[in-house]
């Protein structure tokens, strides 16, 4: 499978990652990516950068040789009303946005409440991707989530870190299998994300690829194979 993009990665600015932006961009170039995204953790994540960091991303060059750089945020979902921790107009100015449920920022609720958190955030047209919806600490009605992703034109991420032996997200493999099954059923695209916090993990989708094969997931529904597929979903090209 052609795999030419990775938009879920973090630098030192996120507080618990270990390379600079320059180092991450250089490694993305060396790995032959066509599109590379840095989506720092948004302000409610302990130790991460604050609002002005995101406001000032306009100063960073977006073209590095043949590599297109996208800069944005991995937002924290804060409640069941779709509230996230970066406000307009800056949210819509991010090249790409991911919204995720993170335990330091929101407590798990019931299956219905967790599902409502995701559905409401997907209604925001400036939210492009739902990050690691496979986290078993947040039980979800996956059929409702997949149908909402289709209705609100939002990508669902299959997260490589979730599938690692070091993952803190229980049940991720089984949950990802269910997500892929339902996305295939309803013809909903997914995006593979490395969730790299260290340069060597950029474009690391090694744990995801076997699941795609096992579920016979259609390549045409994997956004990473063609940057034009991604462009249809992200703020920069809307």
């Amino acid at each position: 499978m052609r795999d030419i993009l990775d938009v879920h990665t973090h630098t030192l600015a996120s507080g618990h990652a270990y390379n600079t932006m320059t180092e991450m961009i250089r490694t993305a170039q060396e790995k032959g990516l066509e599109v590379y995204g840095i989506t720092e953790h948004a302000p409610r994540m302990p130790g991460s950068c604050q609002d002005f960091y995101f406001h000032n991303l306009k100063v960073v060059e977006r073209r590095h040789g043949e590599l297109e750089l996208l800069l944005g945020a991995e937002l924290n979902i804060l409640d069941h009303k779709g509230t996230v921790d970066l406000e307009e107009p800056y949210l819509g100015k991010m090249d790409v946005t991911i919204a995720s449920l993170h335990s330091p920022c929101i407590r798990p609720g019931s299956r219905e409440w967790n599902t409502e958190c995701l559905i409401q955030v997907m209604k925001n047209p400036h939210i492009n991707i739902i990050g690691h919806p496979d986290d078993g600490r947040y039980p979800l009605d996956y059929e409702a989530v997949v149908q909402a992703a289709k209705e609100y034109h939002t990508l669902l991420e299959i997260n490589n870190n979730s599938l690692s032996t070091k993952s803190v997200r229980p049940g991720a493999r089984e949950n990802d299998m269910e997500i892929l099954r339902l996305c295939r059923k309803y013809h909903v695209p997914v995006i593979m994300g490395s969730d790299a916090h260290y340069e060597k993990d950029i474009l690391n989708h090694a744990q995801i690829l076997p699941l795609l094969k096992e579920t016979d997931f259609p390549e045409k529904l994997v956004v990473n194979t063609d940057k034009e597929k991604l462009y249809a979903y992200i703020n920069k090209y809307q």
Side-chain angles (χ1 to χ4, degrees):
M1 178 184 292
R2 187 169 183 260
D3 189 4
I4 51 85
L5 61 91
D6 188 7
V7 301
H8 187 168
T9 73
H10 303 278
T11 77
L12 281 168
S14 281
H16 58 275
Y18 302 98
N19 291 99
T20 66
M21 181 182 289
T22 300
E23 290 168 341
M24 296 290 273
I25 291 169
R26 182 191 64 228
T27 298
Q29 290 177 298
E30 291 171 354
K31 292 192 174 190
L33 275 72
E34 293 183 14
V35 179
Y36 172 57
I38 295 173
T39 41
E40 306 291 10
H41 284 287
R44 287 288 188 94
M45 179 62 73
S48 193
C49 38
Q50 297 304 301
D51 289 2
F52 197 75
Y53 178 91
F54 298 99
H55 303 174
N56 202 43
L57 287 174
K58 61 183 180 291
V59 306
V60 182
E61 176 62 49
R62 298 305 206 269
R63 177 63 61 175
H64 298 264
E66 298 300 313
L67 179 72
E68 179 181 5
L69 177 66
L70 301 176
L71 296 177
E74 184 181 10
L75 305 150
N76 296 292
I77 301 170
L78 302 178
D79 57 34
H80 68 293
K81 300 176 183 179
T83 307
V84 294
D85 52 343
L86 194 62
E87 297 180 355
E88 299 295 357
Y90 302 106
L91 180 58
K93 292 180 179 179
M94 297 295 97
D95 297 338
V96 58
T97 60
I98 302 168
S100 305
L101 295 165
H102 287 124
S103 57
C105 303
I106 187 170
R107 284 183 162 185
S110 67
R111 182 171 179 261
E112 293 73 21
W113 191 85
N114 298 331
T115 301
E116 187 67 10
C117 288
L118 291 196
I119 290 175
Q120 290 303 317
V121 85
M122 282 191 271
K123 292 181 180 180
N124 186 327
H126 293 147
I127 304 297
N128 308 145
I129 300 166
I130 297 298
H132 46 76
D134 52 24
D135 189 344
R137 294 174 296 181
Y138 297 89
L140 296 170
D141 178 345
Y142 283 116
E143 188 134 15
V145 168
V146 169
Q147 289 176 330
K150 184 168 188 175
E151 179 177 358
Y152 299 114
H153 196 64
T154 309
L155 290 169
L156 297 178
E157 179 193 55
I158 307 298
N159 185 291
N160 200 75
N161 269 356
S162 295
L163 297 165
S164 165
T165 57
K166 300 176 183 178
S167 175
V168 298
R169 299 171 193 147
R173 187 181 192 280
E174 294 76 13
N175 292 335
D176 281 329
M177 295 284 281
E178 180 69 359
I179 292 167
L180 290 169
R181 183 186 71 80
L182 289 165
C183 285
R184 181 179 178 184
K185 176 181 177 181
Y186 292 108
H187 305 285
V188 175
V190 301
I191 184 166
M192 297 187 290
S194 71
D195 201 355
H197 288 66
Y198 185 60
E199 62 183 339
K200 74 176 181 62
D201 284 325
I202 294 172
L203 200 65
N204 180 4
H205 300 148
Q207 305 302 317
I208 301 171
L209 296 173
L211 296 191
L212 299 180
K213 185 175 181 180
E214 187 172 341
T215 56
D216 196 23
F217 195 77
E219 187 172 326
K220 67 182 180 181
L221 292 178
V222 180
V223 166
N224 305 70
T225 62
D226 185 343
K227 61 186 178 182
E228 296 296 331
K229 295 179 185 177
L230 175 70
Y231 292 166
Y233 284 88
I234 64 172
N235 291 338
K236 183 174 181 178
Y237 292 99
Q238 301 307 304

